[in-house]
Amino acid sequence: MSMRVRAAFAGIGFVCALWALSLSAQSTETFKARLTPVPADARTRPELTGSGTVSATLAGTTLTFSGSFEGLKTPATTANVHAAVAPVAGVRGPAIADISVPKAVSGAISGAVELNAKQLETLRKGGLYLEIHTEKAPEGALWGWLLK
């Protein structure tokens, strides 16, 4: 193999190593949410009790959740990540993923979600939120917007 070819391979290897190093050094982004009762009407207000906190870490396109909740009136049934219809906080939207939550009135929240480009933009604009549903509040009992 000629000296030029070896030098070219060495250069390519060096560039690949720098690229890999930069990928591994990517910083993560952290988001937090305070879980509070969802907006209610007179019919659902008595069923909405409790509180909680959630932290979410974004590494690449993976958003990983951890947190806890307590004080629900009836056991949790599901927890979902929702994306606002408009990519800003305060505008409700459809569920985009499920998050693990125990079927209890208190417990831990955990899970990870792969986000697409639009969902990443929505997250960074404050438009993703976590919502916990319960037996007596199937439309949602607690929610919290993921903010930096």
Side-chain angles (χ1 to χ4, degrees), residues 21-47:
L21 183 60
S22 73
L23 285 178
S24 67
Q26 282 182 353
S27 64
T28 58
E29 296 176 68
T30 303
F31 300 84
K32 295 190 182 285
R34 188 179 66 142
L35 301 175
T36 58
V38 299
D41 60 24
R43 178 184 57 81
T44 59
R45 190 171 292 117
E47 301 303 326

Side-chain angles (χ1 to χ4, degrees), residues 30-39 52-56 63 65 80-94 122-132 142-148:
T30 303
F31 300 84
K32 295 190 182 285
R34 188 179 66 142
L35 301 175
T36 58
V38 299
T53 58
V54 173
S55 293
L63 186 63
F65 294 89
N80 309 105
V81 178
H82 291 254
V85 175
V88 293
V91 180
R92 295 183 82 155
T122 301
L123 170 66
R124 291 183 175 121
K125 290 183 176 181
L128 290 189
Y129 63 96
L130 184 76
E131 188 168 38
I132 297 176
L142 297 178
W143 71 344
W145 294 87
L146 295 165
L147 304 171
K148 283 193 169 200

Side-chain angles (χ1 to χ4, degrees), residues 14-130:
F14 180 72
V15 169
C16 288
L18 284 177
W19 180 72
L21 183 60
S22 73
L23 285 178
S24 67
Q26 282 182 353
S27 64
T28 58
E29 296 176 68
T30 303
F31 300 84
K32 295 190 182 285
R34 188 179 66 142
L35 301 175
T36 58
V38 299
D41 60 24
R43 178 184 57 81
T44 59
R45 190 171 292 117
E47 301 303 326
L48 304 177
T49 62
S51 63
T53 58
V54 173
S55 293
T57 303
L58 180 65
T61 60
T62 303
L63 186 63
T64 303
F65 294 89
S66 66
S68 63
F69 66 94
E70 63 184 12
L72 295 177
K73 193 165 188 172
T74 59
T77 55
T78 60
N80 309 105
V81 178
H82 291 254
V85 175
V88 293
V91 180
R92 295 183 82 155
I96 61 169
D98 296 330
I99 298 297
S100 178
V101 64
K103 309 278 190 243
V105 296
S106 64
I109 301 165
S110 63
V113 177
E114 286 295 322
L115 301 176
N116 63 34
K118 184 176 181 187
Q119 292 164 343
L120 286 168
E121 177 186 356
T122 301
L123 170 66
R124 291 183 175 121
K125 290 183 176 181
L128 290 189
Y129 63 96
L130 184 76

